Amino acid sequence: QTLRTSEYEKHKDRNPDRVDGTCQWFLQHPKFRHWQESKASSLLWVSADPGCGKSVLSKSLVDKELRSIKSRTTCYFFFKDDNEEQKSTTKALSALLHQLFSQKNALVKYAITDFRCDGRKLPKLFDKLWSILTKATVDPEAGEVICVLDALDECEELGRFKLIDTLNHFYRNDTSNRVDNATLKFLVTSRPYFDIERGFRELTSNFPTIRLAGEEESESIKREINVVIRAKIQKIGTKLMLDDSERSSLERDFLNITHRTYLWVKLTFEVIEQRLAITKKKLQGIVGTIPDTLDKAYEAILERSTDRELARKLLHIIVSATRPLSVREMNVALAIDESSKSQENLDLEPEDRFRITVRNLCGLFVSVIDSRIYLIHQTAKEFLVTNNAATCAIPRIWKNSLEPRESNLVLAEICVLYLLFSEFEHGFQSTNSGHIFLDYSAQFWTSHFQKAKIKDHKSRIAKSALALCDVSSKRCQLWYNIHCGLPGLCSSLNLAAYLGHTLTVEQLLLGKGIDVDAKDNNGWTPLSSAANNGHKEIVELLL
């Protein structure tokens, strides 16, 4: 169970099932057939543009076309940019090993030596995890092992480079040393990004068959999208009792849109179906305003929000959250404002009604899966977020309207206000079990505060952060024990330096009687702690 570090099954099942007749551009492609039928260890990198159904394809491969059988073990991991748990290569390798050992129990022996040596640190050690995987798959008991890694482009950058280098080295050198009956295959999907293409360039130049470029199959993909469009038009036609000429006219309007993707089709038809207290005449009016790009579809969805200010707060929270919030957590987070003093005085909606509120605020732009709230697609985040603060100053409705620093400030303020609730003044009590937002706030407020890059010493949040770092308070001990799982604190300066809170360190240094050389329980001074964690600004302040 040490290798069970993620809910990889739920991550896969976030994606919809493949529609019959789609993905044939891939399933019938000679490069896939060759890779699938080969008895040798091999890599297949599948690249395609956003919204073309890569994750739907990966799910279908795992569940159907490449599902585990007696002679083949299929393992998988779905990377996702909106969840810290889904961005890590070590969690990916841990998931692959957990699935392999769950299906082939005898192979767990290859992890025992490293587990005895490293214990619970093992799931964080990339090289050891990779070594265990390659050793285990050489065992005759392993048979053919297939590893499907979806959306490599959504993996965190350093881990992505490390994984690409490792796959390069393995398939360039190690396969020649493997025994005849040992087969380890990787199928990797991603967008056709330059850094990934460059990483695989040596392999693709020597072994051209390892890359299947979906962006070069645009006509085939478009034909399959047309199949989906026609099927959906028949469904709407039946519902509205449209005659053949009306269905043909509707189909023609849709097929005239140049930039068709699966995601665009899904959004556009759901927008239409949402309005179905609809007549034939009204349908013609709606069709006349079909958004012809994904960005326009996103604008159209958010334009219908019942409360734009609250919708913006919700979206700030979703795009900056370290992990997806549950419906209950989001209910609390949206209800918190400067007047909130305890959970008891929050004006919370019943959960079922709150789900409707979320849908009214953001429509199809967000989805609720397993009671957690997500953006509909990675392109939705790219539509909203800009890394250029000046861009946010340009008058616009939604596109590029959220700046990461501001989003983190919104969530930092919510978490800090929550941790300052009166019931936490005396630390942990049995009643705290009902405080659904305590775990998230305690674990991640420090990260959001740091990313918000607050400079104003006199701001409310700066003063609040200073109060939360008062190690003599029960409140500080409460959140810190949840944050680190470790009892005992030395000084507020040690804590602020460890967390990387430059502003708080500056505030503490202005006080009297501050011991800048005080050591924590591990013998670290504020300076050594800041240096060890890469907090350069704090190091300069303390020198």
Side-chain angles (χ1 to χ4, degrees):
Q1 287 302 309
T2 300
L3 295 170
R4 165 61 96 169
T5 59
S6 66
E7 295 182 290
Y8 52 81
E9 303 96 335
K10 287 185 177 180
H11 300 161
K12 169 177 68 73
D13 291 336
R14 278 179 61 178
N15 300 288
D17 293 330
R18 177 172 68 83
V19 174
D20 286 344
T22 60
C23 296
Q24 297 306 307
W25 67 270
F26 173 83
L27 297 173
Q28 301 300 325
H29 200 286
K31 287 185 178 179
F32 170 65
R33 302 297 287 270
H34 176 267
W35 175 87
Q36 182 183 26
E37 294 165 5
S38 173
K39 300 301 181 185
S41 294
S42 52
L43 167 72
L44 184 62
W45 170 36
V46 185
S47 61
D49 292 325
C52 287
K54 296 184 295 296
S55 295
V56 171
L57 168 63
S58 295
K59 181 186 180 186
S60 179
L61 291 172
V62 171
D63 291 345
K64 297 178 181 178
E65 291 82 13
L66 299 177
R67 67 185 180 279
S68 293
I69 54 177
K70 187 174 182 180
S71 60
R72 177 179 68 215
T73 305
T74 298
C75 313
Y76 59 88
F77 189 80
F78 284 64
F79 290 107
K80 202 72 177 171
D81 182 65
D82 63 5
N83 187 353
E84 287 295 319
E85 189 177 280
Q86 288 183 256
K87 293 163 73 171
S88 163
T89 50
T90 52
K91 289 189 185 298
L93 288 179
S94 295
L96 298 179
L97 288 171
H98 186 267
Q99 294 166 74
L100 179 62
F101 296 155
S102 297
Q103 296 176 72
K104 301 279 187 178
N105 300 143
L107 300 180
V108 77
K109 62 187 177 185
Y110 292 100
I112 290 176
T113 300
D114 287 313
F115 176 70
R116 286 173 178 164
C117 176
D118 299 298
R120 297 198 174 275
K121 293 181 180 178
L122 181 59
K124 297 180 179 179
L125 303 175
F126 181 98
D127 291 325
K128 289 202 171 183
L129 293 171
W130 179 261
S131 176
I132 293 169
L133 178 64
T134 54
K135 288 176 186 174
T137 54
V138 169
D139 191 304
E141 178 74 18
E144 181 184 39
V145 177
I146 291 178
C147 298
V148 176
L149 297 178
D150 182 66
L152 181 62
D153 52 286
E154 297 191 45
C155 168
E156 56 89 16
E157 189 175 77
L158 291 178
R160 181 168 72 243
F161 293 154
K162 174 80 170 175
L163 181 58
I164 290 173
D165 286 345
T166 301
L167 290 170
N168 265 305
H169 182 268
F170 179 77
Y171 286 108
R172 188 176 62 242
N173 301 319
D174 291 0
T175 53
S176 59
N177 300 323
R178 292 172 70 80
V179 295
D180 290 341
N181 61 348
T183 304
L184 176 58
K185 295 179 177 180
F186 269 82
L187 189 150
V188 180
T189 76
S190 78
R191 296 183 185 183
Y193 284 168
F194 177 71
D195 64 326
I196 299 176
E197 185 174 353
R198 182 173 56 189
F200 282 130
R201 183 168 293 160
E202 186 176 350
L203 275 181
T204 54
S205 60
N206 292 327
F207 308 101
T209 57
I210 74 158
R211 182 178 184 186
L212 201 168
E215 63 274 17
E216 296 174 5
E217 304 292 330
S218 58
E219 288 305 314
S220 298
I221 294 174
K222 196 172 286 186
R223 283 195 294 272
E224 293 185 9
I225 291 172
N226 293 348
V227 171
V228 175
I229 289 173
R230 291 185 180 104
K232 286 184 175 292
I233 286 172
Q234 289 307 312
K235 180 180 174 184
I236 286 181
T238 301
K239 196 168 188 176
L240 296 180
M241 294 183 289
L242 301 178
D243 59 35
D244 289 345
S245 65
E246 289 167 328
R247 295 185 194 207
S248 296
S249 175
L250 188 57
E251 179 181 313
R252 188 165 54 252
D253 287 330
F254 268 91
L255 297 184
N256 280 338
I257 301 296
T258 304
H259 303 291
R260 303 189 294 281
T261 65
Y262 284 114
L263 180 59
W264 173 84
V265 170
K266 172 184 168 66
L267 286 175
T268 305
F269 274 97
E270 286 190 11
V271 166
I272 290 175
E273 288 174 9
Q274 268 196 338
R275 300 182 186 181
L276 287 179
I278 206 168
T279 63
K280 295 179 184 180
K281 229 175 228 186
K282 286 181 181 177
L283 180 62
Q284 289 172 353
I286 291 171
V287 169
T289 59
I290 290 174
D292 58 0
T293 66
L294 197 55
D295 281 0
K296 289 179 182 178
Y298 284 148
E299 287 283 3
I301 291 167
L302 292 175
E303 178 67 22
R304 302 184 68 207
S305 173
T306 55
D307 185 334
R308 290 187 183 181
E309 186 177 346
L310 195 58
R312 196 172 296 278
K313 182 178 179 180
L314 174 68
L315 294 171
H316 271 304
I317 294 170
I318 294 175
V319 301
S320 62
T322 305
R323 61 158 174 77
L325 297 187
S326 69
V327 173
R328 294 176 66 198
E329 288 173 324
M330 186 65 80
N331 196 1
V332 172
L334 274 188
I336 292 175
D337 59 28
E338 293 179 31
S339 67
S340 304
K341 303 301 179 187
S342 70
Q343 181 153 316
E344 188 178 18
N345 71 13
L346 292 179
D347 187 19
L348 300 178
E349 292 184 280
E351 186 174 332
D352 288 346
R353 193 187 306 161
F354 181 71
R355 287 173 181 256
I356 297 171
T357 296
V358 170
R359 178 48 63 98
N360 288 337
L361 287 175
C362 295
L364 303 168
F365 203 83
V366 300
S367 56
V368 178
I369 303 171
D370 292 328
S371 293
R372 293 195 178 275
I373 299 176
Y374 304 88
L375 295 180
I376 188 173
H377 193 264
Q378 175 63 13
T379 54
K381 183 175 182 179
E382 293 161 0
F383 167 81
L384 283 176
V385 176
T386 177
N387 288 315
N388 183 354
T391 305
C392 288
I394 301 172
R396 64 181 76 239
I397 304 297
W398 295 105
K399 184 173 172 62
N400 297 143
S401 64
L402 305 187
E403 196 267 323
R405 187 202 61 78
E406 183 186 1
S407 297
N408 277 286
L409 178 59
V410 169
L411 194 43
E413 288 178 333
I414 291 169
C415 292
V416 167
L417 286 168
Y418 187 86
L419 292 173
L420 290 173
F421 278 1
S422 58
E423 54 263 48
F424 302 136
E425 184 177 353
H426 303 294
F428 189 81
Q429 298 176 356
S430 59
T431 55
N432 289 353
S433 59
H435 290 77
I436 192 67
F437 200 56
L438 177 59
D439 183 73
Y440 186 92
S441 296
Q443 287 200 54
F444 302 120
W445 82 266
T446 63
S447 172
H448 295 303
F449 182 82
Q450 186 182 24
K451 291 174 182 176
K453 299 178 182 177
I454 300 155
K455 301 294 184 185
D456 184 3
H457 287 230
K458 296 180 181 180
S459 64
R460 184 189 71 252
I461 191 170
K463 295 174 182 177
S464 299
L466 184 61
L468 287 177
C469 288
D470 178 3
V471 297
S472 65
S473 71
K474 294 288 187 182
R475 189 189 306 276
C476 178
Q477 293 167 21
L478 167 63
W479 74 256
Y480 183 77
N481 289 342
I482 297 171
H483 180 82
C484 293
L486 298 172
L489 291 164
C490 176
S491 74
S492 296
L493 185 60
N494 286 76
L495 177 58
Y498 164 74
L499 295 173
H501 289 187
T502 305
L503 188 65
T504 307
V505 170
E506 289 175 344
Q507 291 171 297
L508 290 168
L509 290 175
L510 293 173
K512 294 181 180 179
I514 295 295
D515 183 0
V516 296
D517 295 317
K519 294 182 179 179
D520 64 17
N521 294 340
N522 296 313
W524 295 84
T525 64
L527 178 60
S528 58
S529 183
N532 184 62
N533 288 289
H535 305 314
K536 184 179 178 181
E537 288 185 6
I538 295 177
V539 170
E540 292 173 351
L541 282 171
L542 294 171
L543 283 174

